Amino acid sequence: MPDRDAKGSLILPRPISVGRAFRLPLDFSERRILLTGIDLVAVNSALILALGFRPHPAVDPMLVARHPYWFLILSGLWLITGHAFDVYEPRVAGRFEASVPQVIKAAAVAVLLYLVIPYITPPLPTSRWTLASFPCFLIAGLLLGRAIYSWALPMPLYERRALIIGAGWAGRAIAEALVTIDRVGYHLVGFVDDDPGKAGTLISVAAIPPADGDGPAGLPVLGSSQGIADLIAQHRVSTLILAIPGEVDADLLHILMGCVERGVEMVPMPVIYEQLTGRVPVERVGEKWYASIPVYPRVTGTLWQIAKRMMDIALASVGVACLLPLLPFVALAIRLDSPGPIFYVQERIGKGGSMFRAYKFRSMFCDAEKDGAVWAQEHDPRVTRVGRVLRAAHIDEFPQFLNVLRGEMSIVGPRPERPEFVEELVVKFPVYRLRHIAKPGMGGWGLVRQGYASSHEDALVRLQYDLYYIKHQSLGLDLLIILKTIMHAFALKGR
């Protein structure tokens, strides 16, 4: 407990010194902005260089001023494909080896789209050499920028030295996330915990290797909350990560306020966890779910509902228009492959816990669930040959555009679950009911980030993604999910 004077008043901690060395710590958003700027310089420089390799070079001092839309369109295409291939995700951006395949795929798609756009981009190259130079310059420039970024950003100059307050589940979870997702700008010095039994011990964190190669792995508990000020000065801590599942008592709050007052950053564990993983830490939420999930999220706002409904109607109308020409061929293939109906109707749980009938093209044998509902598995033997193709390309879900037009589903939202599974999951994870705040969707954040759930454990992870979507949903996030869903379909990643 903090020291008190003779009158019982708390004694203010002495001023905190975090070291005189010049430091320029960058947070997640600042690092992403910096990397985006590096990439945009690379892609636009590649275009200038490629234009200079034409038989009649188009490069002149006023090129950008004469054709600004050439560069704006290329920049926009790169940002779209880059986000589609996760090149700005923390788990990819900080590690050069993880960036290479994603950058190459995103650059290839961006170049292809750019070259086939007529009239508003430079005309197609007239020789094989100039055709090859543009993607080569683009990929080389992007990888060079990534190499410099990956080399420079882990330097101590740009890192935040962090002390985790709380060595329980929440503290271990954020420590493992920060260590597993390498080079995100945090250097962990250890834990602070008021449990006397943890003092001086190492808290096991699976992602941290033993210091000597043989001993235990983990981070040390450096002391109790009473010594936070001394630990900040001793270890030059710039960030406190608050990972306490319960309420913060008055004494600890006083200490933390003193630290913040003296320039030390304090960040709640869920904020960093969500930025790193795109998930809400459900295990930490527990009975305090209302502190992590807004009771009145954006999904309940009138204007947002109107805008989302208009987008749903527009996209579903396009989807139905695409479905109609495919319908005869898909129906014939399903009927020739196995006996039974063309469409499959299944009860699903929708917004507010209401029941609705979801439509799909039949992709399984008719007696697939004669013994009751079963989680779909990878390489599921119940799926027909045609069904595998339909599922891989997400064509089996095209009839759900009708559910969207009827208002039972949205284009984007948590994937609707079957009532049999919902009953089990609500008992196991009471916060599962919060998924029903939003209208279910054909594509969702959990689907594009995790894939399909085939067990209770998978359902928990998907719940974490779905709650993140409900908490942070926006037009930008919806468009990203739609884009990634389309990429999944073209890559045949459905199941």
Side-chain angles (χ1 to χ4, degrees), residues 344 346-349 355 369 372-375 382 416-423 432:
Y344 180 63
Q346 196 173 64
E347 298 289 339
R348 296 286 174 126
I349 300 295
M355 196 93 68
E369 293 191 334
V374 180
W375 292 95
R382 300 173 299 163
E417 195 52 86
R418 302 177 63 175
E420 301 93 332
F421 298 146
V422 170
E423 291 178 4
Y432 192 86

Side-chain angles (χ1 to χ4, degrees), residues 13-19 23 25 159-165 186-187 189 192 227-242 252-268 272:
R14 66 176 185 272
I16 297 171
S17 171
V18 294
R23 302 178 66 81
E159 287 187 329
R160 294 170 180 260
R161 296 179 65 82
L163 182 66
I164 301 176
I165 303 175
Y186 285 89
H187 175 79
V189 300
V192 165
I228 287 178
D230 291 332
L231 292 173
I232 289 175
Q234 179 183 349
H235 295 279
R236 304 190 309 280
V237 172
S238 59
T239 301
L240 297 175
I241 299 176
L242 187 61
L252 177 57
L253 178 62
H254 175 82
I255 294 172
L256 296 178
M257 289 175 63
C259 296
V260 173
E261 183 181 20
R262 290 163 176 80
V264 179
E265 176 190 43
M266 185 176 70
V267 186
I272 300 181

Side-chain angles (χ1 to χ4, degrees), residues 42-64:
V43 297
N44 287 287
S45 298
L47 179 58
I48 293 174
L49 289 173
L51 292 173
F53 273 82
R54 291 174 179 268
H56 303 288
V59 177
D60 63 67
M62 299 297 293
L63 178 64
V64 179

Side-chain angles (χ1 to χ4, degrees), residues 62-132:
M62 299 297 293
L63 178 64
V64 179
R66 292 178 190 276
H67 304 285
Y69 49 89
W70 287 2
F71 301 90
L72 292 174
I73 292 171
L74 178 60
S75 298
L77 285 175
W78 165 253
L79 292 177
I80 291 171
T81 57
H83 282 89
F85 286 97
D86 296 330
V87 300
Y88 296 108
E89 288 295 312
R91 58 188 170 84
V92 174
R95 299 173 57 242
F96 180 73
E97 59 273 22
S99 293
V100 171
Q102 302 306 109
V103 165
I104 291 176
K105 288 186 286 188
V109 174
V111 168
L112 177 63
L113 293 174
Y114 188 72
L115 291 179
V116 299
I117 295 176
Y119 306 119
I120 57 175
T121 59
L124 286 171
T126 56
S127 70
R128 293 177 183 176
W129 170 249
T130 52
L131 181 64

Side-chain angles (χ1 to χ4, degrees), residues 161-430:
R161 296 179 65 82
L163 182 66
I164 301 176
I165 303 175
W169 177 89
R172 295 194 304 272
I174 192 59
E176 186 156 349
L178 285 167
V179 175
T180 302
I181 305 175
D182 196 12
R183 302 174 187 175
V184 290
Y186 285 89
H187 175 79
L188 300 179
V189 300
F191 294 97
V192 165
D193 199 285
D194 287 336
D195 182 354
K198 295 179 181 177
T201 63
L202 281 177
I203 299 299
S204 175
V205 178
I208 300 179
D212 57 5
D214 297 317
L219 282 173
V221 177
L222 300 174
S224 66
S225 59
Q226 183 177 354
I228 287 178
D230 291 332
L231 292 173
I232 289 175
Q234 179 183 349
H235 295 279
R236 304 190 309 280
V237 172
S238 59
T239 301
L240 297 175
I241 299 176
L242 187 61
I244 299 176
E247 300 290 343
V248 176
D249 61 46
D251 290 342
L252 177 57
L253 178 62
H254 175 82
I255 294 172
L256 296 178
M257 289 175 63
C259 296
V260 173
E261 183 181 20
R262 290 163 176 80
V264 179
E265 176 190 43
M266 185 176 70
V267 186
M269 173 267 187
V271 172
I272 300 181
Y273 190 88
E274 289 175 22
Q275 289 177 327
L276 285 173
T277 65
R279 294 152 51 184
V280 170
V282 173
E283 296 92 332
R284 182 183 185 275
V285 170
E287 297 177 354
K288 302 292 184 181
W289 61 268
Y290 50 83
S292 296
I293 304 297
V295 180
Y296 297 107
R298 179 176 298 179
V299 68
T300 62
T302 302
L303 293 179
W304 171 249
Q305 289 184 2
I306 293 174
K308 192 170 176 65
R309 182 58 182 155
M310 291 176 62
M311 184 175 70
D312 285 343
I313 293 174
L315 294 177
S317 299
V318 174
V320 171
C322 295
L323 170 64
L324 292 177
L326 289 175
L327 182 57
F329 303 101
V330 174
L332 179 61
I334 293 174
R335 182 57 61 87
L336 292 176
D337 187 44
S338 64
I342 304 302
F343 295 99
Y344 180 63
V345 181
Q346 196 173 64
E347 298 289 339
R348 296 286 174 126
I349 300 295
K351 184 177 180 179
S354 60
M355 196 93 68
F356 73 98
R357 293 161 65 86
Y359 305 112
K360 298 180 68 174
F361 283 123
R362 183 174 59 84
S363 60
M364 291 187 176
F365 295 104
C366 288
D367 59 350
E369 293 191 334
K370 59 183 179 181
D371 297 323
V374 180
W375 292 95
Q377 303 290 331
E378 191 172 1
H379 307 301
D380 198 318
R382 300 173 299 163
V383 178
T384 65
R385 292 170 298 179
V386 170
R388 295 192 189 282
V389 177
L390 298 179
R391 285 172 168 244
H394 293 285
I395 295 175
D396 65 316
E397 295 172 356
F398 273 27
Q400 289 175 12
F401 285 121
L402 298 174
N403 290 115
V404 175
L405 290 176
R406 292 175 53 162
E408 298 162 332
M409 293 180 64
S410 177
I411 293 295
V412 178
R415 287 291 298 162
E417 195 52 86
R418 302 177 63 175
E420 301 93 332
F421 298 146
V422 170
E423 291 178 4
E424 300 173 7
L425 292 168
V426 166
V427 172
K428 198 172 183 66
F429 314 115

Side-chain angles (χ1 to χ4, degrees), residues 17-32:
S17 171
V18 294
R20 296 183 179 180
F22 174 74
R23 302 178 66 81
L24 190 65
L26 300 175
D27 63 22
F28 293 112
S29 61
E30 292 168 334
R31 286 169 178 258
R32 180 169 292 188

